[in-house]
Amino acid sequence: EDVGWAVVRVGAVWLGLVLALIVVPSALGVSLGISEAYMWVLVKTLEWATIRIEKGVKKPQPQMLKTPAANGIIERDETPMEKEIARLHRVDFEFSDIFYFCRKGFEAIVEDEVTQRFSSEELVSWNLLTRTNVNFHYISLRLTVVWVIGVIVRYCFLLPLRFTLAAIGITSMIVGTTMVGQLPNSSVKNYLSEVVHLTCSRILVRALSGTIRYHNKENKPQKGGICVANHTSPIDAIILTNDGCYAMVGQVHGGLMGVIQRATVKACPHVWFERSEVKDRHLVTKRLREHVADKSKLPILIFPEGTCINNTSVMMFKKGSFEIGGTIYPVAIKYDPQFGDAFWNSSKYNIVSYLLRIMTSWAIVCNVWYMPPMVREEGEDAVQFANRVRSAIARQGGLTELPWDGGLKRAKVKDTFREEQQKNYSKMLVRNGSIG
Amino acid sequence: PGASRGLPCAQGSLSPPSFPPTVTSEQIEHLHRRFKQLSQDQLTIRKENFDSIPDLEFNPIRGKIVHAFFDKRNLRQESDGLVDEINFEDFLTIMSYFRPIEMNMDEEQLDRFRKEKLKFLFHMYDSDHDGKITLQEYRNVVEELLSGNPHLEKESARSIADGAMMEAASICVGQMGPDQVYEGITFEDFLKMWQGIDIETKMHVRFLNMETIAHCY
């Protein structure tokens, strides 16, 4: 019985501390400096670890740091097809032309630009998490000891803390929005709903030990606009709502997510679509257009890539979001993978194991850039506009641009692409006067 | 399987009898990770696994390239035909056909190197494995390369192939009498066609790392 009481007392003290030190300050938007201190310790530790790893490597190389995987591991010859084949022309065709295609094929097999975007970014140096320990081997006893301490800290201290915070955050979100939803529509209701959303977002961001830096806040999305951003993980939405209120757009889910969706839509006009409605593109566009036309409604938040990419590049933007009209506010989000990998590889991990990985990382550190608004220009169609916005986001976030569709994560390339290449090649042959 | 082939993959060098051993362990690691990606963490790759590479879909001779990975002749096996699946060792064997030339190779090694690469190409053309590239096989390759263009009729594709074969015949056999039939390009003829042309630098995939930067070709 005594043990039971002791446990309850410890639990109460724990909860009390959490509430006092984390929940209340974050609700008020005040910082006690605890996260800053934590980050400082973390950065110092990782720097020390990097130096030890560099010292420990015996190879006589001028530089330890490997080239980042984003730039590729093989040397690519970017000579266009015409030039390369013209160089080889001695026998008139295919005997030599096949070299070019053969080599391109092999390059693609060794490394292709697209598939590598669907797996986590490689780190330049180890960050003391087992999951990123791909290239790095045992170095020294001290490093291993630090790693063990890290594991204990992460799993025994940080994980329960974050879990508690997440639970508090989600519960208060559901309860808060339901209560606000009971009120009649008025400016008071809107104000209260914004307060609730912001507070809960802040608590959830603390639950992930998130350190977010917002740049160019003067460009923050205004009411009646559309906010588009690159997509890396489900957390993206929380990262953005931490600093402002948006109307979310998405499909209705079941389970806990569904409960949250149903509760929040009462307080704030989020746009949730049923599964069946998603297929009907005109219906979707119509609803979004109605929402945007009402200038008093919050800006809608859309991720045009349609799927999670690993934050080293921006893939094709689906044109649907750009056909709605209105002003587009682009936002670039770049995570720092050194502290924790935010990318959700949905083919490898389900949402629960993903959240577990996030909560046992060191922290989520990211930069958010708000960019000046863009509108569709005269004579520009939706696809060109989408590409323009995408280039701007990629440039700002320091990401590469790929014309490929994120849907390639699961589907195959359309045959039309291959036929394009064949057409180009045969056009070249015809031009060289090789026929008749 | 590793022991019987005599390929010590775990160490830093591959030494099959005809290739000089200079693949670094780093490169093997990269390729191994790529292999795992393609095979989806299985021990072997099948033809279907190559479907997941979008860049490869672009390629008109994709079929032949994938085919080459499963061709027993390229895998240095005694028998003929195709295997169903390949393991990492086989994957490395095929990739080794695309190794760049090293600075420290002598004449004999360079010659062998070149022959191996040309043999690989020869096998790509010779789809029925009879050791000759016949007119029909050549036409097949041309059609594959050109099939995307609707304006190019089949007849044109055939005439391209026929023209090329005639030229090849004239290089290999010289002037043919009106009754002579050119059966097909044998490997020796194939080698003759490529004499004097530098293919080694066209047919390689070079890895980026600190070592190659120091070499400065």
Side-chain angles (χ1 to χ4, degrees):
Chain A
E1 219 188 74
D2 276 336
V3 175
W5 272 118
V7 168
V8 170
R9 278 238 286 276
V10 168
V13 169
W14 165 253
L15 210 55
L17 273 176
V18 167
L19 279 170
L21 291 178
I22 302 183
V23 175
V24 171
S26 65
L28 300 173
V30 165
S31 167
L32 285 178
I34 301 182
S35 339
E36 279 81 4
Y38 169 64
M39 290 303 293
W40 184 86
V41 170
L42 196 55
V43 167
K44 286 289 172 222
T45 316
L46 288 180
E47 272 174 16
W48 173 85
T50 310
I51 295 176
R52 288 228 64 87
I53 294 176
E54 282 181 13
K55 277 202 196 139
V57 174
K58 302 290 195 303
K59 278 191 252 185
Q61 280 184 346
Q63 245 186 315
M64 169 62 189
L65 298 179
K66 302 184 201 284
T67 42
N71 295 338
I73 57 171
I74 53 177
E75 193 181 292
R76 295 222 182 210
D77 188 354
E78 297 296 339
T79 333
M81 174 165 67
E82 286 84 355
K83 251 174 121 186
E84 179 101 11
I85 293 190
R87 269 199 298 198
L88 289 172
H89 265 195
R90 183 251 188 192
V91 182
D92 253 328
F93 1 72
E94 293 70 38
F95 275 131
S96 45
D97 298 346
I98 205 169
F99 275 134
Y100 173 81
F101 290 112
C102 212
R103 187 163 97 211
K104 285 287 165 193
F106 264 76
E107 280 176 358
I109 291 176
V110 172
E111 172 186 64
D112 82 273
E113 294 184 306
V114 178
T115 316
Q116 60 170 250
R117 309 297 168 184
F118 297 132
S119 60
S120 300
E121 191 180 350
E122 270 186 46
L123 288 177
V124 174
S125 93
W126 191 34
N127 64 349
L128 295 176
L129 294 176
T130 330
R131 64 193 70 143
T132 50
N133 193 354
V134 176
N135 300 334
F136 308 100
H137 315 286
Y138 174 80
I139 301 289
S140 75
L141 182 62
R142 254 188 275 184
L143 201 62
T144 315
V145 167
V146 171
W147 173 72
V148 169
I149 297 179
V151 169
I152 299 177
V153 164
R154 282 186 294 124
Y155 280 84
C156 304
F157 175 60
L158 288 178
L159 180 59
L161 172 66
R162 288 173 181 166
F163 195 71
T164 320
L165 283 172
I168 296 178
I170 295 181
T171 325
S172 37
M173 171 97 93
I174 298 178
V175 167
T177 48
T178 315
M179 289 202 309
V180 173
Q182 307 301 327
L183 297 175
N185 285 349
S186 65
S187 52
V188 176
K189 177 179 182 189
N190 290 341
Y191 174 69
L192 282 177
S193 125
E194 281 187 26
V195 166
V196 169
H197 276 96
L198 269 175
T199 314
C200 299
S201 276
R202 289 202 192 113
I203 299 178
L204 286 174
V205 166
R206 294 296 173 95
L208 303 167
S209 295
T211 306
I212 312 172
R213 218 171 300 141
Y214 297 95
H215 304 261
N216 307 334
K217 280 200 185 184
E218 66 272 8
N219 291 327
K220 228 167 27 172
Q222 306 290 327
K223 292 199 172 147
I226 305 174
C227 175
V228 304
N230 56 318
H231 201 28
T232 307
S233 94
I235 306 179
D236 289 342
I238 306 178
I239 303 271
L240 288 177
T241 53
N242 186 41
D243 194 43
C245 284
Y246 300 89
M248 313 276 215
V249 176
Q251 227 180 55
V252 169
H253 288 95
L256 181 61
M257 195 64 218
V259 174
I260 300 178
Q261 284 177 325
R262 276 193 296 273
T264 51
V265 80
K266 290 192 193 119
C268 172
H270 298 299
V271 187
W272 304 124
F273 289 104
E274 297 292 331
R275 255 243 141 112
S276 49
E277 288 175 325
V278 172
K279 297 278 163 56
D280 185 351
R281 270 192 48 207
H282 291 291
L283 186 66
V284 171
T285 319
K286 186 162 150 306
R287 259 182 88 178
L288 290 176
R289 228 180 270 215
E290 281 166 6
H291 185 111
V292 169
D294 186 350
K295 292 294 171 201
S296 67
K297 290 224 173 114
L298 296 169
I300 49 178
L301 180 57
I302 296 186
F303 297 103
E305 276 163 316
T307 186
C308 295
I309 314 291
N310 77 345
N311 208 234
T312 56
S313 70
V314 184
M315 289 196 152
M316 186 176 99
F317 273 5
K318 301 210 186 325
K319 63 174 187 210
S321 342
F322 299 88
E323 286 172 339
I324 305 171
T327 328
I328 302 272
Y329 294 89
V331 176
I333 307 176
K334 178 81 178 105
Y335 290 89
D336 188 346
Q338 193 69 11
F339 297 97
D341 180 23
F343 168 58
W344 181 27
N345 191 345
S346 47
S347 19
K348 228 171 151 191
Y349 305 105
N350 62 14
I351 184 79
V352 176
S353 54
Y354 167 70
L355 285 174
L356 206 63
R357 278 163 60 94
I358 292 282
M359 290 204 197
T360 52
S361 312
W362 294 118
I364 301 290
V365 177
C366 66
N367 283 302
V368 176
W369 286 274
Y370 293 111
M371 292 159 62
M374 294 173 138
V375 280
R376 187 146 72 138
E377 286 169 7
E378 283 291 324
E380 208 180 24
D381 70 0
V383 175
Q384 289 164 333
F385 182 37
N387 286 338
R388 194 159 61 94
V389 174
R390 189 175 60 133
S391 304
I393 293 183
R395 233 171 327 161
Q396 178 67 281
L399 307 162
T400 56
E401 258 187 86
L402 287 181
W404 295 98
D405 184 349
L408 286 175
K409 208 191 225 172
R410 299 193 178 87
K412 276 182 68 170
V413 176
K414 297 201 214 126
D415 280 329
T416 38
F417 280 116
R418 174 162 16 146
E419 283 158 16
E420 268 305 309
Q421 189 81 334
Q422 285 171 321
K423 280 197 201 124
N424 283 343
Y425 174 65
S426 48
K427 258 190 257 170
M428 217 175 54
L429 282 188
V430 174
R431 236 196 330 233
N432 287 349
S434 318
I435 303 184
Chain B
S4 60
R5 289 279 200 89
L7 290 172
C9 284
Q11 298 159 26
S13 59
L14 263 188
S15 27
S18 45
F19 276 90
T22 39
V23 187
T24 65
S25 50
E26 228 179 61
Q27 291 169 351
I28 296 188
E29 257 180 63
H30 275 305
L31 286 173
H32 191 238
R33 247 176 295 147
R34 181 61 172 164
F35 182 86
K36 276 205 291 197
Q37 223 179 34
L38 290 175
S39 71
Q40 286 159 6
D41 286 330
Q42 303 292 321
L43 287 172
T44 56
I45 292 188
R46 313 180 80 89
K47 286 223 184 90
E48 298 79 61
N49 294 111
F50 286 98
D51 290 346
S52 59
I53 307 176
D55 281 347
L56 193 57
E57 291 297 309
F58 251 0
N59 206 306
I61 54 166
R62 177 191 175 280
K64 291 235 181 292
I65 294 178
V66 174
H67 205 86
F69 274 81
F70 296 88
D71 191 336
K72 281 195 192 167
R73 298 172 293 176
N74 293 335
L75 295 170
R76 301 166 202 274
Q77 289 179 16
E78 264 51 25
S79 53
D80 215 6
L82 297 172
V83 294
D84 283 328
E85 47 185 20
I86 51 173
N87 60 21
F88 182 54
E89 243 178 68
D90 300 325
F91 185 71
L92 280 185
T93 311
I94 305 285
M95 292 308 301
S96 64
Y97 286 102
F98 274 76
R99 275 176 41 227
I101 51 176
E102 313 289 330
M103 291 216 69
N104 50 9
M105 282 183 174
D106 60 25
E107 278 290 328
E108 196 193 314
Q109 285 174 334
L110 274 177
D111 192 47
R112 242 184 308 155
F113 209 58
R114 185 189 159 88
K115 263 215 186 102
E116 291 286 341
K117 294 197 187 222
L118 283 173
K119 197 128 207 226
F120 184 77
L121 271 188
F122 187 79
H123 291 159
M124 238 191 227
Y125 278 100
D126 180 20
S127 36
D128 63 3
H129 303 211
D130 65 357
K132 283 202 287 272
I133 304 179
T134 59
L135 180 60
Q136 192 49 53
E137 282 169 343
Y138 193 63
R139 280 185 188 151
N140 289 342
V141 177
V142 177
E143 271 168 25
E144 241 181 74
L145 281 173
L146 297 177
S147 47
N149 191 337
H151 300 298
L152 214 54
E153 292 148 18
K154 228 177 167 177
E155 273 312 305
S156 318
R158 287 185 88 187
S159 62
I160 294 177
D162 294 353
M165 276 301 264
M166 292 249 270
E167 175 149 357
S170 66
I171 298 175
C172 308
V173 185
Q175 279 291 55
M176 289 201 301
D179 297 336
Q180 265 185 302
V181 171
Y182 187 52
E183 277 177 16
I185 309 177
T186 61
F187 185 54
E188 284 68 41
D189 294 341
F190 196 68
L191 284 178
K192 245 193 269 180
M193 282 169 55
W194 290 110
Q195 245 168 21
I197 302 180
D198 166 30
I199 58 118
E200 296 88 341
T201 53
K202 301 285 171 288
M203 224 179 112
H204 69 246
V205 172
R206 193 186 293 279
F207 276 90
L208 284 175
N209 66 20
M210 297 294 150
E211 278 117 84
T212 46
I213 290 176
H215 279 196
C216 286
Y217 283 101

